[in-house]
Amino acid sequence: MRKTIVAFMAGCCLPVMAQSWLPFKERAARQAGWKKHEAVALLDSTGVVVADNGSGSFTIRQVVQVKNKAGALKYRVIKYDYDPLTAFAEFSRATVYKADGSQRTIDVSQACDYAAPARAIYWGARQIMLEIGALDAGDIIDYEISKKGFTYALLAAGDEERFVPPMRGQFYDIVPFWVAVPTVSKIYTVDMPRTKEVQYEFYQGECRSSVRLSGDRKVLSFSVSDVHPFVKEPNMVDLFDVAPKLMMSSTPEWKDKSLWFNKVNEDYDSFAADPEAQKKVDELLRGKKTEMEKIAALTHWVADNMRYSGISMGKGEGYTLHTTKMNFTDRCGVCKDKAALLISMLRMAGFEAYPAMTMAGSRIETIPADHFNHCVTVVKLSSGQYIPLDPTWVPFLRELWSSAEQQQHYLPGIPEGSGLLETPVSPPENHYLKLSAHTSVDTDGTLRGEFTVTAEGQSDGSVRRPFTRGFMTDWRQAMENELLQVSPQARMLNVDYGTNPKDYTAGPIRITMKFEIPDYALTGDGVLMLRPICGRLYQSTRTYLRIDTERDDRRYAFKDACSRLVELKETMTVPAGYTMRSEAKEQRKTSAVADFIGSLSQQNNKVNISHQLTLRKRVYDAADWNGFRTAVKAHKDLADEWLIFEKK
């Protein structure tokens, strides 16, 4: 549910000081269900004072009561992350109120400030840590953190100037209102100039809110009480898409952000031509005739030849993209660097191209708060249409925009400005996985046969991964490992994956394998019992198999890796005189989001098994669960069914 509540209350919910949280402690004690938790947050408060230039001074206060030994261990050390390029944070005070009535003041001058753990992106993020020390059940920790700045970086500047947000004078915040431990009171307040216009919305829940005026200032307050930890569901969408949150921004609309994003990078001259890069562009376009051939050649080259590894390079972090010369020379960077190099190369090829911001993993709301974590490219076709390209997510993939990002919002930074856009659903047939097997079983239980697998799109990328990511010396072993998923006794007799399976641009992947599996079927007196292999191969590619279809319903939207078409066929030859005990089956499960057509039959000594599963989305609504579940469960059940043959 999405709801905005604006009320004018008699008082503002400003951060609570001293031990005025004592009533919260009494309320927590009355919550019988909270006793099993390792800790209870009596107060979770954030207060922000916003300056005219948009910079924020934050006071973050936490009052936590430890309930057991696990909680004592968890809270003996407090950590907080911040980005020194755009913010500063420090512990301002901390006190422990012991269960026996005594109290202990923590010396915050002993807090540590050090480089935060990092992987792949090394932009100098830091972490502050304060040792609280030994705790006992019933102890209460009351601490404050002072923070100044904002969330994202622009260009390096003077010390105070680095705290000013990129769009000078604008303020935004994205406030999760879900909690990890039971919380008596969660409060967020913003004190800003009275003349600063701000829009906000509270999503997926309800809160108490107020706006109070005082002189040349106004205070907006939002609070919730007696909040239980958010209960997740497997495979659900991101918490920002389903859990309570507050979005706030003084930017009027997304078009303003789009225009600003375009201007800041054009002013910085991020995409200026470079002679060496121009030579590479000319080389790549040699022999390419159509605009899509040219766009594909440049996109795949950047995707495959620029390593993903982010190090701080000073100017050009955050919203401002590094220059063409830097990116082409270093061939190393994060998403925005790969997007920037592609933009530069497209421009050198005569195209009109620009950067775009997106949020990989969750929804972007209509409130223009900067909920972004990823940068991509948009290019203008001769028809005038802009299409998105993502060189970060398509290395060795037969797509220009990864369909693992379908149904995802993005904001292009184009000269005419743009509103928020959404990538469309990719048709399932663009990501097919087709497997055809011919097998035969002997009376001693040995299964012999051959199968051919072909794939396209996201399925192609998964099936081809051993060739594009692994050493050539490991290719055959990788193929055999796939067969060993069927049975540890499986033997690969021969495999044909072509002369260069690493060349994903040549066409969809095709692999043919011959094999035998001794003792695959259980045998008895005139009885054979086994399962077809078609449903047991390439299960890692079929990500939907990891979604639990035993659940009757779902509360929240859920997601798979991609839309997909799966076709599995197997013709099994059984010994003469053996007849399948069960009757022939014909199944058809259809809905707006997923279909399954399956069959199982025997004619003479040939058994035919067929699956066709169509999954039409990457992100599904909770209301889609029944259609998705019914189709996938029918597919799983047929694949897992034991076939029993008796000799007549």
Side-chain angles (χ1 to χ4, degrees):
M1 181 175 72
R2 179 185 296 185
K3 190 171 183 179
T4 305
I5 304 175
V6 182
F8 292 88
M9 301 169 64
C12 298
C13 299
L14 296 173
V16 183
M17 302 304 294
Q19 290 191 50
S20 53
W21 42 259
L22 286 173
F24 298 158
K25 178 183 176 183
E26 296 172 4
R27 272 168 49 188
R30 294 194 293 268
Q31 295 276 2
W34 289 5
K35 294 179 180 179
K36 62 182 180 181
H37 290 271
E38 60 188 17
V40 170
L42 304 182
L43 177 64
D44 177 352
S45 171
T46 299
V48 190
V49 178
V50 182
D52 287 332
N53 61 16
S55 177
S57 297
F58 295 73
T59 300
I60 301 163
R61 188 180 184 198
Q62 296 279 321
V63 181
V64 180
Q65 184 176 39
V66 171
K67 305 299 287 186
N68 53 35
K69 187 178 293 185
L73 290 172
K74 179 177 179 179
Y75 287 95
R76 68 181 301 275
V77 172
I78 307 295
K79 298 178 182 178
Y80 185 81
D81 294 277
Y82 74 98
D83 181 356
L85 286 174
T86 61
F88 171 76
E90 64 180 357
F91 287 96
S92 54
R93 65 172 187 83
T95 304
V96 176
Y97 297 90
K98 300 291 291 180
D100 62 10
S102 62
Q103 66 182 62
R104 174 164 53 92
T105 300
I106 307 298
D107 183 1
V108 295
S109 68
Q110 299 303 305
C112 300
D113 188 319
Y114 52 92
R119 176 179 175 272
I121 301 178
Y122 309 98
W123 281 1
R126 298 192 68 79
Q127 197 172 71
I128 54 175
M129 177 175 68
L130 181 65
E131 184 175 4
I132 300 299
L135 295 167
D136 299 300
D139 289 355
I140 293 173
I141 311 156
D142 182 352
Y143 68 91
E144 273 187 11
I145 293 172
S146 296
K147 175 184 170 184
K148 185 174 184 179
F150 62 98
T151 308
Y152 292 98
L154 181 59
L155 298 175
D159 190 58
E160 283 300 307
E161 193 69 13
R162 67 190 170 106
F163 300 138
V164 180
M167 289 184 73
R168 191 180 188 90
Q170 300 295 324
F171 173 79
Y172 72 89
D173 210 349
I174 303 160
V175 187
F177 260 78
W178 65 85
V179 297
V181 298
T183 301
V184 177
S185 181
K186 183 173 177 66
I187 303 169
Y188 176 82
T189 65
V190 183
D191 180 332
M192 61 173 55
R194 186 169 181 170
T195 56
K196 193 177 292 293
E197 297 291 337
V198 66
Q199 54 184 321
Y200 63 85
E201 189 163 350
F202 197 88
Y203 294 84
Q204 292 131 202
E206 298 183 3
C207 73
R208 294 185 302 279
S209 65
S210 68
V211 180
R212 301 294 293 172
L213 306 177
S214 176
D216 60 353
R217 307 289 293 179
K218 62 182 174 185
V219 178
L220 291 81
S221 304
F222 307 87
S223 64
V224 293
S225 300
D226 300 329
V227 187
H228 295 260
F230 191 90
V231 179
K232 298 180 182 180
E233 290 180 343
N235 306 104
M236 66 181 280
V237 295
D238 192 79
L239 279 171
F240 277 101
D241 293 354
V242 292
K245 67 181 179 184
L246 171 67
M247 309 291 284
M248 177 179 292
S249 177
S250 61
T251 304
E253 57 183 359
W254 279 120
K255 186 176 181 179
D256 298 301
K257 174 64 72 174
S258 170
L259 290 167
W260 172 85
F261 188 43
N262 172 265
K263 186 176 186 302
V264 76
N265 284 289
E266 299 300 335
D267 289 351
Y268 190 63
D269 212 13
S270 296
F271 316 117
D274 174 74
E276 292 301 314
Q278 183 69 64
K279 290 179 185 178
K280 175 56 70 173
V281 170
D282 296 341
E283 174 192 324
L284 292 169
L285 297 189
R286 200 168 294 135
K288 304 296 187 299
K289 294 182 173 58
T290 69
E291 65 179 357
M292 290 311 300
E293 285 179 329
K294 295 175 182 179
I295 290 169
L298 297 175
T299 301
H300 287 308
W301 187 86
V302 174
D304 298 349
N305 289 277
M306 192 170 185
R307 178 175 298 170
Y308 189 96
S309 182
I311 57 175
S312 181
M313 299 178 184
K315 284 190 175 186
E317 303 304 354
Y319 285 104
T320 307
L321 278 57
H322 291 132
T323 62
T324 307
K325 184 173 181 60
M326 178 184 288
N327 287 327
F328 186 75
T329 301
D330 293 348
R331 309 276 175 87
C332 177
V334 293
C335 57
K336 68 187 182 64
D337 303 307
K338 300 186 81 164
L341 182 57
L342 178 56
I343 293 164
S344 301
M345 296 180 81
L346 285 165
R347 290 190 180 187
M348 285 184 277
F351 290 97
E352 196 175 328
Y354 303 97
M357 299 178 285
T358 181
M359 182 68 192
S362 67
R363 185 177 68 236
I364 300 175
E365 306 294 359
T366 54
I367 296 291
D370 293 18
H371 197 189
F372 302 115
N373 65 358
H374 189 38
C375 185
V376 298
T377 299
V378 293
V379 63
K380 194 174 189 179
L381 303 181
S382 56
S383 64
Q385 175 192 4
Y386 283 105
I387 62 169
L389 309 168
D390 191 352
T392 301
W393 280 38
V394 297
F396 311 111
L397 188 64
R398 289 177 51 79
E399 290 192 285
L400 300 179
W401 172 267
S402 169
S403 291
E405 301 172 277
Q406 58 187 292
Q407 298 167 269
Q408 184 169 299
H409 293 106
Y410 66 102
L411 183 71
I414 55 180
E416 63 270 30
S418 172
L420 201 60
L421 305 177
E422 183 176 0
T423 58
V425 172
S426 182
E429 55 270 23
N430 289 351
H431 310 282
Y432 66 73
L433 174 72
K434 299 180 180 181
L435 190 145
S436 177
H438 295 273
T439 59
S440 62
V441 60
D442 296 340
T443 54
D444 65 357
T446 300
L447 186 74
R448 295 181 175 86
E450 174 182 293
F451 70 82
T452 297
V453 61
T454 58
E456 178 60 293
Q458 290 289 314
S459 298
D460 177 280
S462 177
V463 172
R464 197 188 295 269
R465 190 165 291 121
F467 307 112
T468 56
R469 306 286 185 176
F471 293 111
M472 290 181 65
T473 52
D474 296 333
W475 286 0
R476 287 184 63 88
Q477 182 62 56
M479 296 299 97
E480 188 170 28
N481 287 344
E482 188 61 52
L483 189 60
L484 290 171
Q485 298 299 312
V486 178
S487 169
Q489 299 186 105
R491 301 170 188 162
M492 185 176 70
L493 305 179
N494 183 50
V495 63
D496 178 7
Y497 39 67
T499 56
N500 186 15
K502 190 172 182 177
D503 184 8
Y504 65 96
T505 62
I509 188 74
R510 180 184 178 89
I511 302 170
T512 298
M513 188 185 301
K514 292 182 179 179
F515 64 91
E516 67 175 19
I517 311 176
D519 301 320
Y520 181 72
L522 302 176
T523 61
D525 186 12
V527 176
L528 291 170
M529 182 176 174
L530 74 163
R531 288 188 287 190
I533 69 160
C534 64
R536 321 207 72 70
L537 291 163
Y538 289 96
Q539 294 196 3
S540 61
T541 299
R542 295 183 282 146
T543 54
Y544 57 85
L545 293 176
R546 298 194 283 273
I547 298 177
D548 181 12
T549 51
E550 296 304 314
R551 302 176 64 94
D552 291 330
D553 53 37
R554 300 185 70 101
R555 293 184 60 191
Y556 307 116
F558 61 100
K559 58 187 176 182
D560 190 13
C562 183
S563 53
R564 206 181 303 271
L565 171 65
V566 178
E567 293 183 354
L568 310 177
K569 295 181 180 179
E570 182 172 350
T571 299
M572 181 190 300
T573 302
V574 298
Y578 280 78
T579 304
M580 188 167 59
R581 178 184 292 178
S582 60
E583 296 181 355
K585 292 185 177 180
E586 187 83 32
Q587 296 187 71
R588 183 179 293 269
K589 309 290 185 181
T590 62
S591 72
V593 296
D595 296 338
F596 176 69
I597 302 172
S599 63
L600 170 64
S601 63
Q602 180 176 1
Q603 187 174 9
N604 299 323
N605 66 332
K606 302 289 186 182
V607 178
N608 295 299
I609 305 104
S610 176
H611 299 244
Q612 181 176 294
L613 178 67
T614 305
L615 302 175
R616 295 191 176 88
K617 292 184 180 182
R618 180 182 74 93
V619 181
Y620 296 84
D621 297 327
D624 295 331
W625 176 242
N626 186 58
F628 178 91
R629 173 182 182 254
T630 300
V632 173
K633 192 172 188 304
H635 169 59
K636 287 181 179 180
D637 291 346
L638 184 58
D640 290 339
E641 183 166 340
W642 285 89
L643 306 182
I644 302 174
F645 299 94
E646 295 177 323
K647 187 173 183 180
K648 299 298 184 182

Short mmCIF file of all heavy atoms in Angstrom, two decimals, residues 151-171:
data_model
loop_
_atom_site.label_atom_id
_atom_site.label_comp_id
_atom_site.label_asym_id
_atom_site.label_seq_id
_atom_site.Cartn_x
_atom_site.Cartn_y
_atom_site.Cartn_z
N THR A 151 25.01 11.89 0.11
CA THR A 151 25.28 10.50 -0.22
C THR A 151 26.23 10.29 -1.39
O THR A 151 27.00 9.37 -1.40
CB THR A 151 23.95 9.78 -0.53
OG1 THR A 151 23.06 10.02 0.54
CG2 THR A 151 24.14 8.30 -0.70
N TYR A 152 26.17 11.14 -2.43
CA TYR A 152 26.94 10.89 -3.64
C TYR A 152 28.00 11.96 -3.88
O TYR A 152 27.89 13.08 -3.43
CB TYR A 152 26.01 10.83 -4.86
CG TYR A 152 25.11 9.64 -4.84
CD1 TYR A 152 23.81 9.76 -4.38
CD2 TYR A 152 25.56 8.40 -5.25
CE1 TYR A 152 22.97 8.67 -4.35
CE2 TYR A 152 24.71 7.31 -5.22
CZ TYR A 152 23.43 7.44 -4.77
OH TYR A 152 22.61 6.35 -4.74
N ALA A 153 29.02 11.58 -4.66
CA ALA A 153 30.14 12.47 -4.94
C ALA A 153 29.96 13.20 -6.26
O ALA A 153 29.32 12.72 -7.16
CB ALA A 153 31.44 11.68 -4.98
N LEU A 154 30.61 14.36 -6.38
CA LEU A 154 30.68 15.05 -7.66
C LEU A 154 32.15 15.32 -7.94
O LEU A 154 32.92 14.42 -8.19
CB LEU A 154 29.85 16.33 -7.65
CG LEU A 154 29.83 17.13 -8.96
CD1 LEU A 154 29.26 16.26 -10.08
CD2 LEU A 154 29.01 18.38 -8.81
N LEU A 155 32.58 16.55 -7.87
CA LEU A 155 33.98 16.89 -8.12
C LEU A 155 34.64 17.29 -6.81
O LEU A 155 34.03 17.86 -5.93
CB LEU A 155 34.06 18.06 -9.11
CG LEU A 155 33.47 17.79 -10.50
CD1 LEU A 155 33.53 19.06 -11.33
CD2 LEU A 155 34.25 16.69 -11.18
N ALA A 156 35.92 16.99 -6.72
CA ALA A 156 36.66 17.38 -5.53
C ALA A 156 36.67 18.90 -5.41
O ALA A 156 36.74 19.62 -6.40
CB ALA A 156 38.09 16.85 -5.62
N ALA A 157 36.58 19.38 -4.19
CA ALA A 157 36.55 20.83 -3.98
C ALA A 157 37.13 21.12 -2.61
O ALA A 157 37.77 20.26 -1.99
CB ALA A 157 35.12 21.35 -4.10
N GLY A 158 36.89 22.36 -2.12
CA GLY A 158 37.36 22.72 -0.80
C GLY A 158 36.72 21.85 0.27
O GLY A 158 35.73 21.17 0.03
N ASP A 159 37.27 21.89 1.49
CA ASP A 159 36.83 20.96 2.53
C ASP A 159 35.35 21.05 2.82
O ASP A 159 34.65 20.05 2.85
CB ASP A 159 37.64 21.22 3.80
CG ASP A 159 37.41 20.12 4.83
OD1 ASP A 159 37.67 18.95 4.50
OD2 ASP A 159 36.93 20.43 5.92
N GLU A 160 34.82 22.28 3.03
CA GLU A 160 33.40 22.42 3.31
C GLU A 160 32.56 22.21 2.06
O GLU A 160 31.44 21.72 2.12
CB GLU A 160 33.13 23.81 3.91
CG GLU A 160 33.51 23.95 5.37
CD GLU A 160 32.76 22.96 6.26
OE1 GLU A 160 31.52 22.91 6.18
OE2 GLU A 160 33.42 22.24 7.02
N GLU A 161 33.11 22.58 0.92
CA GLU A 161 32.37 22.48 -0.33
C GLU A 161 32.03 21.03 -0.67
O GLU A 161 31.04 20.74 -1.34
CB GLU A 161 33.19 23.12 -1.46
CG GLU A 161 32.42 23.37 -2.74
CD GLU A 161 31.39 24.48 -2.63
OE1 GLU A 161 31.42 25.23 -1.62
OE2 GLU A 161 30.55 24.58 -3.54
N ARG A 162 32.84 20.08 -0.19
CA ARG A 162 32.58 18.68 -0.53
C ARG A 162 31.30 18.16 0.11
O ARG A 162 30.77 17.13 -0.28
CB ARG A 162 33.76 17.80 -0.11
CG ARG A 162 33.97 17.69 1.40
CD ARG A 162 35.31 17.01 1.68
NE ARG A 162 35.67 17.07 3.08
CZ ARG A 162 35.62 16.04 3.92
NH1 ARG A 162 35.22 14.86 3.49
NH2 ARG A 162 35.97 16.17 5.18
N PHE A 163 30.77 18.88 1.11
CA PHE A 163 29.52 18.45 1.75
C PHE A 163 28.28 18.96 1.03
O PHE A 163 27.16 18.59 1.38
CB PHE A 163 29.48 18.92 3.21
CG PHE A 163 30.61 18.39 4.05
CD1 PHE A 163 31.26 19.21 4.96
CD2 PHE A 163 31.03 17.07 3.92
CE1 PHE A 163 32.30 18.72 5.74
CE2 PHE A 163 32.07 16.58 4.69
CZ PHE A 163 32.71 17.41 5.60
N VAL A 164 28.48 19.82 0.03
CA VAL A 164 27.34 20.38 -0.70
C VAL A 164 26.91 19.37 -1.76
O VAL A 164 27.74 18.84 -2.50
CB VAL A 164 27.73 21.72 -1.37
CG1 VAL A 164 26.54 22.29 -2.13
CG2 VAL A 164 28.24 22.70 -0.32
N PRO A 165 25.62 19.09 -1.88
CA PRO A 165 25.16 18.10 -2.85
C PRO A 165 25.43 18.53 -4.28
O PRO A 165 25.59 19.73 -4.55
CB PRO A 165 23.67 17.98 -2.56
CG PRO A 165 23.31 19.23 -1.85
CD PRO A 165 24.51 19.66 -1.09
N PRO A 166 25.49 17.58 -5.21
CA PRO A 166 25.80 17.90 -6.61
C PRO A 166 24.89 18.97 -7.20
O PRO A 166 25.36 19.92 -7.82
CB PRO A 166 25.61 16.56 -7.32
CG PRO A 166 25.86 15.54 -6.27
CD PRO A 166 25.34 16.15 -5.00
N MET A 167 23.57 18.83 -7.02
CA MET A 167 22.64 19.87 -7.45
C MET A 167 22.56 20.88 -6.30
O MET A 167 21.75 20.74 -5.37
CB MET A 167 21.26 19.28 -7.76
CG MET A 167 21.24 18.44 -9.02
SD MET A 167 19.59 17.83 -9.44
CE MET A 167 18.79 19.35 -10.02
N ARG A 168 23.41 21.87 -6.38
CA ARG A 168 23.56 22.81 -5.26
C ARG A 168 22.21 23.40 -4.85
O ARG A 168 21.43 23.83 -5.68
CB ARG A 168 24.52 23.93 -5.65
CG ARG A 168 24.94 24.80 -4.48
CD ARG A 168 25.90 25.88 -4.94
NE ARG A 168 26.44 26.59 -3.77
CZ ARG A 168 27.54 26.25 -3.13
NH1 ARG A 168 28.25 25.22 -3.55
NH2 ARG A 168 27.95 26.93 -2.07
N GLY A 169 21.95 23.39 -3.55
CA GLY A 169 20.71 23.94 -3.02
C GLY A 169 19.59 22.93 -2.90
O GLY A 169 18.60 23.17 -2.21
N GLN A 170 19.75 21.78 -3.57
CA GLN A 170 18.71 20.75 -3.53
C GLN A 170 18.98 19.77 -2.38
O GLN A 170 20.14 19.46 -2.08
CB GLN A 170 18.65 19.98 -4.85
CG GLN A 170 18.34 20.85 -6.06
CD GLN A 170 16.95 21.44 -6.00
OE1 GLN A 170 16.01 20.83 -5.54
NE2 GLN A 170 16.82 22.68 -6.48
N PHE A 171 17.92 19.31 -1.77
CA PHE A 171 18.04 18.32 -0.69
C PHE A 171 17.14 17.13 -1.01
O PHE A 171 16.02 17.29 -1.50
CB PHE A 171 17.61 18.91 0.65
CG PHE A 171 17.56 17.89 1.76
CD1 PHE A 171 18.72 17.49 2.40
CD2 PHE A 171 16.35 17.32 2.14
CE1 PHE A 171 18.67 16.53 3.41
CE2 PHE A 171 16.30 16.36 3.15
CZ PHE A 171 17.47 15.97 3.79
#
